[in-house]
Every structure is written in structure tokens, then in C-alpha cells.
Amino acid sequence: SLAQLASVIEFSMRIAIREKKDVVDDNVFEEAFESFNYGEEKKWDISELEKTAYHEAGHAFLCWHSGETPSYLTIVARGNFGGYMLHGDTEYRGTYTKAKLLDLIRTSLGGRASELVFFGEKDGLTTGASADLIRATDIARSIVCSYGMDSDVGLAVIGENELASGEMSREVRTAVNNILSEELNVAKNLLTDNKVAIEKIVEELLHKNHLTSTEIDRIFSAYSTKN
């Protein structure tokens, strides 16, 4: 709203004064916008920033690989998250194909997959993927229960009452886990085959803290095998 925009502008002027800048430039406006929406920046040590960069790079690559370039990528920690990726495809979709839903699952699992590929099972299993797993699980459950897209479970829509039964609940959980496991493996393989592209994005993120869609597409187009 105009009132919120006015608040961001006022906040940007306070930031400029605090940092003893003569002008409110694009960087100050961006900091004001991010702080207004998500909270003040948190300062993390370099090892945490590096792991966050690999996590977010995994999301970004799998999103880009599916045909959608992210509009924004950052490793600046704010609120309850360490960084985030904004999807580039913001237009409303009336319907989704199963292939597109699997793309979304794979993108959601990209952070966990990247951490596993670059840090191994011991150090790559972190709590940072919690929200990602919730989103991926919700999509997979809809594939199984609401959209009739799982050949093993069948076409019938499965309601909450049916999920309360032990047998059906176990069947759905198995089907959902199968989808998640398969897409995680696909994600890990893609990231393994494109380590150079991920390393380049991580390098840029650690240098700049954030990247635009143009920068993301330029790096992935130059260094990805896109297989």
C-alpha cells in the first residue's frame, strides 16, 4: 500500500543517516524494504553463511533447471530464516501438470539436496530444510490424495476421514515418501552433475549477499550442463 511504501521510504532515510550516507541509493532502499518486510539483518559467521549459500543455490538451480529463473536470491538472515529464493513465475496458474508439481517438489528439496551433495550425510542433514520439507510434503500429499496422480493409490480422492484409518494413512504416507525420496535423488544427481554452476553461484552470493534474476540466469547459462 502507499502507507507501507511511505514507511519504507522513511525507514530508508533513517538507514542512510545511521550509515552516514549523503544519498538514499538503491542499496539503502533494498535494505529498508527487506528490513520492513522480514526484520533486521542477522549477523552469522562465515561457515553458517557458506552453508546457507549452498542451500539457497540448490533451490535456485533446480528452479532454473525446471524452466523458471528465480527473481531474487539472498543469504541475508532475517526473522526466522537464513536466506530465501523468490520464484520468478508469479502469474496465477489455473491448473498444474504432474510434471510441474514434481518440479516444485524438487525445487523445495534443493536446499537439502545441495547440503547433502556438498557437505555429506554427517554435516548435510540440518534443520534448515524444515519449512522446505513441509512444502514438499504438502504438494506430494495433494498429488496422492487430491489430484489422482499416483498410479499405486489410484484416482479416488482421499479425504481426512479416510486418512484417519491406519491402513489408508500408511498407504498414503508410503506413496508420499516414495515421491519425496525419488525427487530428492533426482535433485542430488542434477546438483552433482552441475557442481561448477553451484560453486559459481555460491561464490557470487558470498561476495554480494544477493543476486537478481539476470545474474542468476547468466551464471547458470554459462556453467550448467542442464542435462
Side-chain angles (χ1 to χ4, degrees), residues 126-148:
T126 71
T127 57
S130 176
D132 301 330
L133 292 174
I134 291 172
R135 173 164 169 74
T137 301
D138 286 344
I139 298 171
R141 186 180 292 114
S142 294
I143 286 175
V144 174
C145 297
S146 302
Y147 304 143

PDB file of all heavy atoms in Angstrom, residues 126-148:
ATOM      1  N   THR A 126      20.573 -30.928   8.127  1.00  0.00           N
ATOM      2  CA  THR A 126      20.403 -29.827   9.074  1.00  0.00           C
ATOM      3  C   THR A 126      18.935 -29.472   9.232  1.00  0.00           C
ATOM      4  O   THR A 126      18.075 -29.912   8.457  1.00  0.00           O
ATOM      5  CB  THR A 126      21.165 -28.574   8.591  1.00  0.00           C
ATOM      6  OG1 THR A 126      20.479 -28.020   7.443  1.00  0.00           O
ATOM      7  CG2 THR A 126      22.598 -28.911   8.221  1.00  0.00           C
ATOM      8  N   THR A 127      18.653 -28.646  10.230  1.00  0.00           N
ATOM      9  CA  THR A 127      17.277 -28.201  10.484  1.00  0.00           C
ATOM     10  C   THR A 127      16.837 -27.128   9.492  1.00  0.00           C
ATOM     11  O   THR A 127      15.665 -26.754   9.465  1.00  0.00           O
ATOM     12  CB  THR A 127      17.154 -27.637  11.903  1.00  0.00           C
ATOM     13  OG1 THR A 127      18.098 -26.552  12.064  1.00  0.00           O
ATOM     14  CG2 THR A 127      17.460 -28.714  12.939  1.00  0.00           C
ATOM     15  N   GLY A 128      17.769 -26.636   8.664  1.00  0.00           N
ATOM     16  CA  GLY A 128      17.439 -25.557   7.743  1.00  0.00           C
ATOM     17  C   GLY A 128      16.422 -25.916   6.677  1.00  0.00           C
ATOM     18  O   GLY A 128      15.834 -25.029   6.057  1.00  0.00           O
ATOM     19  N   ALA A 129      16.199 -27.218   6.479  1.00  0.00           N
ATOM     20  CA  ALA A 129      15.264 -27.650   5.429  1.00  0.00           C
ATOM     21  C   ALA A 129      13.850 -27.877   5.955  1.00  0.00           C
ATOM     22  O   ALA A 129      12.988 -28.361   5.217  1.00  0.00           O
ATOM     23  CB  ALA A 129      15.783 -28.929   4.784  1.00  0.00           C
ATOM     24  N   SER A 130      13.580 -27.523   7.201  1.00  0.00           N
ATOM     25  CA  SER A 130      12.289 -27.835   7.820  1.00  0.00           C
ATOM     26  C   SER A 130      11.095 -27.297   7.029  1.00  0.00           C
ATOM     27  O   SER A 130      10.188 -28.047   6.662  1.00  0.00           O
ATOM     28  CB  SER A 130      12.260 -27.275   9.250  1.00  0.00           C
ATOM     29  OG  SER A 130      10.997 -27.478   9.833  1.00  0.00           O
ATOM     30  N   ALA A 131      11.094 -26.002   6.752  1.00  0.00           N
ATOM     31  CA  ALA A 131       9.978 -25.394   6.013  1.00  0.00           C
ATOM     32  C   ALA A 131       9.886 -25.955   4.595  1.00  0.00           C
ATOM     33  O   ALA A 131       8.787 -26.132   4.054  1.00  0.00           O
ATOM     34  CB  ALA A 131      10.131 -23.879   5.969  1.00  0.00           C
ATOM     35  N   ASP A 132      11.040 -26.246   3.990  1.00  0.00           N
ATOM     36  CA  ASP A 132      11.065 -26.826   2.645  1.00  0.00           C
ATOM     37  C   ASP A 132      10.396 -28.195   2.626  1.00  0.00           C
ATOM     38  O   ASP A 132       9.658 -28.527   1.692  1.00  0.00           O
ATOM     39  CB  ASP A 132      12.512 -26.983   2.151  1.00  0.00           C
ATOM     40  CG  ASP A 132      13.264 -25.670   2.118  1.00  0.00           C
ATOM     41  OD1 ASP A 132      12.622 -24.630   1.906  1.00  0.00           O
ATOM     42  OD2 ASP A 132      14.494 -25.695   2.294  1.00  0.00           O
ATOM     43  N   LEU A 133      10.666 -28.999   3.649  1.00  0.00           N
ATOM     44  CA  LEU A 133      10.086 -30.341   3.722  1.00  0.00           C
ATOM     45  C   LEU A 133       8.573 -30.281   3.910  1.00  0.00           C
ATOM     46  O   LEU A 133       7.839 -31.108   3.368  1.00  0.00           O
ATOM     47  CB  LEU A 133      10.726 -31.133   4.864  1.00  0.00           C
ATOM     48  CG  LEU A 133      12.200 -31.505   4.668  1.00  0.00           C
ATOM     49  CD1 LEU A 133      12.749 -32.154   5.934  1.00  0.00           C
ATOM     50  CD2 LEU A 133      12.366 -32.448   3.476  1.00  0.00           C
ATOM     51  N   ILE A 134       8.116 -29.304   4.673  1.00  0.00           N
ATOM     52  CA  ILE A 134       6.668 -29.137   4.863  1.00  0.00           C
ATOM     53  C   ILE A 134       5.999 -28.829   3.523  1.00  0.00           C
ATOM     54  O   ILE A 134       4.968 -29.427   3.172  1.00  0.00           O
ATOM     55  CB  ILE A 134       6.389 -28.017   5.882  1.00  0.00           C
ATOM     56  CG1 ILE A 134       6.825 -28.458   7.283  1.00  0.00           C
ATOM     57  CG2 ILE A 134       4.902 -27.650   5.883  1.00  0.00           C
ATOM     58  CD1 ILE A 134       6.768 -27.356   8.316  1.00  0.00           C
ATOM     59  N   ARG A 135       6.585 -27.906   2.769  1.00  0.00           N
ATOM     60  CA  ARG A 135       6.009 -27.546   1.460  1.00  0.00           C
ATOM     61  C   ARG A 135       6.036 -28.729   0.503  1.00  0.00           C
ATOM     62  O   ARG A 135       5.037 -29.029  -0.159  1.00  0.00           O
ATOM     63  CB  ARG A 135       6.772 -26.364   0.868  1.00  0.00           C
ATOM     64  CG  ARG A 135       6.355 -26.023  -0.569  1.00  0.00           C
ATOM     65  CD  ARG A 135       6.812 -24.658  -0.989  1.00  0.00           C
ATOM     66  NE  ARG A 135       6.649 -24.434  -2.411  1.00  0.00           N
ATOM     67  CZ  ARG A 135       5.504 -24.217  -3.038  1.00  0.00           C
ATOM     68  NH1 ARG A 135       4.380 -24.247  -2.335  1.00  0.00           N
ATOM     69  NH2 ARG A 135       5.440 -24.016  -4.338  1.00  0.00           N
ATOM     70  N   ALA A 136       7.173 -29.419   0.428  1.00  0.00           N
ATOM     71  CA  ALA A 136       7.292 -30.563  -0.479  1.00  0.00           C
ATOM     72  C   ALA A 136       6.304 -31.660  -0.105  1.00  0.00           C
ATOM     73  O   ALA A 136       5.679 -32.282  -0.977  1.00  0.00           O
ATOM     74  CB  ALA A 136       8.715 -31.098  -0.449  1.00  0.00           C
ATOM     75  N   THR A 137       6.150 -31.898   1.185  1.00  0.00           N
ATOM     76  CA  THR A 137       5.213 -32.926   1.656  1.00  0.00           C
ATOM     77  C   THR A 137       3.778 -32.561   1.314  1.00  0.00           C
ATOM     78  O   THR A 137       2.993 -33.422   0.896  1.00  0.00           O
ATOM     79  CB  THR A 137       5.353 -33.129   3.180  1.00  0.00           C
ATOM     80  OG1 THR A 137       6.695 -33.533   3.485  1.00  0.00           O
ATOM     81  CG2 THR A 137       4.392 -34.195   3.688  1.00  0.00           C
ATOM     82  N   ASP A 138       3.422 -31.302   1.478  1.00  0.00           N
ATOM     83  CA  ASP A 138       2.060 -30.859   1.155  1.00  0.00           C
ATOM     84  C   ASP A 138       1.739 -31.077  -0.328  1.00  0.00           C
ATOM     85  O   ASP A 138       0.631 -31.516  -0.677  1.00  0.00           O
ATOM     86  CB  ASP A 138       1.892 -29.370   1.500  1.00  0.00           C
ATOM     87  CG  ASP A 138       1.790 -29.121   2.999  1.00  0.00           C
ATOM     88  OD1 ASP A 138       1.538 -30.100   3.745  1.00  0.00           O
ATOM     89  OD2 ASP A 138       1.970 -27.968   3.422  1.00  0.00           O
ATOM     90  N   ILE A 139       2.700 -30.760  -1.190  1.00  0.00           N
ATOM     91  CA  ILE A 139       2.475 -30.946  -2.630  1.00  0.00           C
ATOM     92  C   ILE A 139       2.356 -32.426  -2.959  1.00  0.00           C
ATOM     93  O   ILE A 139       1.457 -32.845  -3.704  1.00  0.00           O
ATOM     94  CB  ILE A 139       3.612 -30.310  -3.453  1.00  0.00           C
ATOM     95  CG1 ILE A 139       3.671 -28.806  -3.214  1.00  0.00           C
ATOM     96  CG2 ILE A 139       3.406 -30.596  -4.953  1.00  0.00           C
ATOM     97  CD1 ILE A 139       4.895 -28.133  -3.828  1.00  0.00           C
ATOM     98  N   ALA A 140       3.254 -33.240  -2.396  1.00  0.00           N
ATOM     99  CA  ALA A 140       3.213 -34.677  -2.659  1.00  0.00           C
ATOM    100  C   ALA A 140       1.918 -35.295  -2.145  1.00  0.00           C
ATOM    101  O   ALA A 140       1.330 -36.162  -2.799  1.00  0.00           O
ATOM    102  CB  ALA A 140       4.424 -35.358  -2.008  1.00  0.00           C
ATOM    103  N   ARG A 141       1.458 -34.849  -0.995  1.00  0.00           N
ATOM    104  CA  ARG A 141       0.206 -35.377  -0.442  1.00  0.00           C
ATOM    105  C   ARG A 141      -0.978 -35.012  -1.338  1.00  0.00           C
ATOM    106  O   ARG A 141      -1.902 -35.811  -1.534  1.00  0.00           O
ATOM    107  CB  ARG A 141      -0.018 -34.853   0.974  1.00  0.00           C
ATOM    108  CG  ARG A 141      -1.240 -35.493   1.666  1.00  0.00           C
ATOM    109  CD  ARG A 141      -1.447 -34.971   3.064  1.00  0.00           C
ATOM    110  NE  ARG A 141      -0.382 -35.393   3.962  1.00  0.00           N
ATOM    111  CZ  ARG A 141       0.490 -34.572   4.530  1.00  0.00           C
ATOM    112  NH1 ARG A 141       0.430 -33.271   4.275  1.00  0.00           N
ATOM    113  NH2 ARG A 141       1.410 -35.030   5.340  1.00  0.00           N
ATOM    114  N   SER A 142      -0.951 -33.810  -1.899  1.00  0.00           N
ATOM    115  CA  SER A 142      -2.016 -33.409  -2.822  1.00  0.00           C
ATOM    116  C   SER A 142      -1.998 -34.260  -4.086  1.00  0.00           C
ATOM    117  O   SER A 142      -3.056 -34.620  -4.625  1.00  0.00           O
ATOM    118  CB  SER A 142      -1.872 -31.924  -3.188  1.00  0.00           C
ATOM    119  OG  SER A 142      -2.098 -31.106  -2.058  1.00  0.00           O
ATOM    120  N   ILE A 143      -0.804 -34.580  -4.584  1.00  0.00           N
ATOM    121  CA  ILE A 143      -0.679 -35.461  -5.753  1.00  0.00           C
ATOM    122  C   ILE A 143      -1.362 -36.790  -5.482  1.00  0.00           C
ATOM    123  O   ILE A 143      -2.094 -37.324  -6.330  1.00  0.00           O
ATOM    124  CB  ILE A 143       0.820 -35.687  -6.098  1.00  0.00           C
ATOM    125  CG1 ILE A 143       1.398 -34.424  -6.731  1.00  0.00           C
ATOM    126  CG2 ILE A 143       0.989 -36.885  -7.045  1.00  0.00           C
ATOM    127  CD1 ILE A 143       2.892 -34.502  -6.988  1.00  0.00           C
ATOM    128  N   VAL A 144      -1.150 -37.314  -4.286  1.00  0.00           N
ATOM    129  CA  VAL A 144      -1.685 -38.628  -3.925  1.00  0.00           C
ATOM    130  C   VAL A 144      -3.154 -38.573  -3.548  1.00  0.00           C
ATOM    131  O   VAL A 144      -3.958 -39.395  -4.014  1.00  0.00           O
ATOM    132  CB  VAL A 144      -0.867 -39.227  -2.754  1.00  0.00           C
ATOM    133  CG1 VAL A 144      -1.495 -40.532  -2.270  1.00  0.00           C
ATOM    134  CG2 VAL A 144       0.572 -39.452  -3.171  1.00  0.00           C
ATOM    135  N   CYS A 145      -3.531 -37.604  -2.729  1.00  0.00           N
ATOM    136  CA  CYS A 145      -4.872 -37.603  -2.125  1.00  0.00           C
ATOM    137  C   CYS A 145      -5.915 -36.787  -2.879  1.00  0.00           C
ATOM    138  O   CYS A 145      -7.104 -37.102  -2.816  1.00  0.00           O
ATOM    139  CB  CYS A 145      -4.791 -37.083  -0.684  1.00  0.00           C
ATOM    140  SG  CYS A 145      -3.808 -38.101   0.414  1.00  0.00           S
ATOM    141  N   SER A 146      -5.482 -35.716  -3.561  1.00  0.00           N
ATOM    142  CA  SER A 146      -6.451 -34.788  -4.145  1.00  0.00           C
ATOM    143  C   SER A 146      -6.507 -34.797  -5.668  1.00  0.00           C
ATOM    144  O   SER A 146      -7.551 -34.483  -6.247  1.00  0.00           O
ATOM    145  CB  SER A 146      -6.134 -33.354  -3.684  1.00  0.00           C
ATOM    146  OG  SER A 146      -6.161 -33.257  -2.278  1.00  0.00           O
ATOM    147  N   TYR A 147      -5.394 -35.139  -6.323  1.00  0.00           N
ATOM    148  CA  TYR A 147      -5.332 -34.995  -7.773  1.00  0.00           C
ATOM    149  C   TYR A 147      -5.364 -36.312  -8.536  1.00  0.00           C
ATOM    150  O   TYR A 147      -5.357 -36.299  -9.770  1.00  0.00           O
ATOM    151  CB  TYR A 147      -4.072 -34.219  -8.169  1.00  0.00           C
ATOM    152  CG  TYR A 147      -3.947 -32.870  -7.509  1.00  0.00           C
ATOM    153  CD1 TYR A 147      -2.709 -32.385  -7.111  1.00  0.00           C
ATOM    154  CD2 TYR A 147      -5.073 -32.065  -7.290  1.00  0.00           C
ATOM    155  CE1 TYR A 147      -2.586 -31.142  -6.507  1.00  0.00           C
ATOM    156  CE2 TYR A 147      -4.957 -30.832  -6.685  1.00  0.00           C
ATOM    157  CZ  TYR A 147      -3.717 -30.371  -6.301  1.00  0.00           C
ATOM    158  OH  TYR A 147      -3.593 -29.147  -5.700  1.00  0.00           O
ATOM    159  N   GLY A 148      -5.423 -37.442  -7.849  1.00  0.00           N
ATOM    160  CA  GLY A 148      -5.477 -38.737  -8.521  1.00  0.00           C
ATOM    161  C   GLY A 148      -4.310 -38.984  -9.448  1.00  0.00           C
ATOM    162  O   GLY A 148      -4.463 -39.589 -10.511  1.00  0.00           O
TER     163      GLY A 148
END
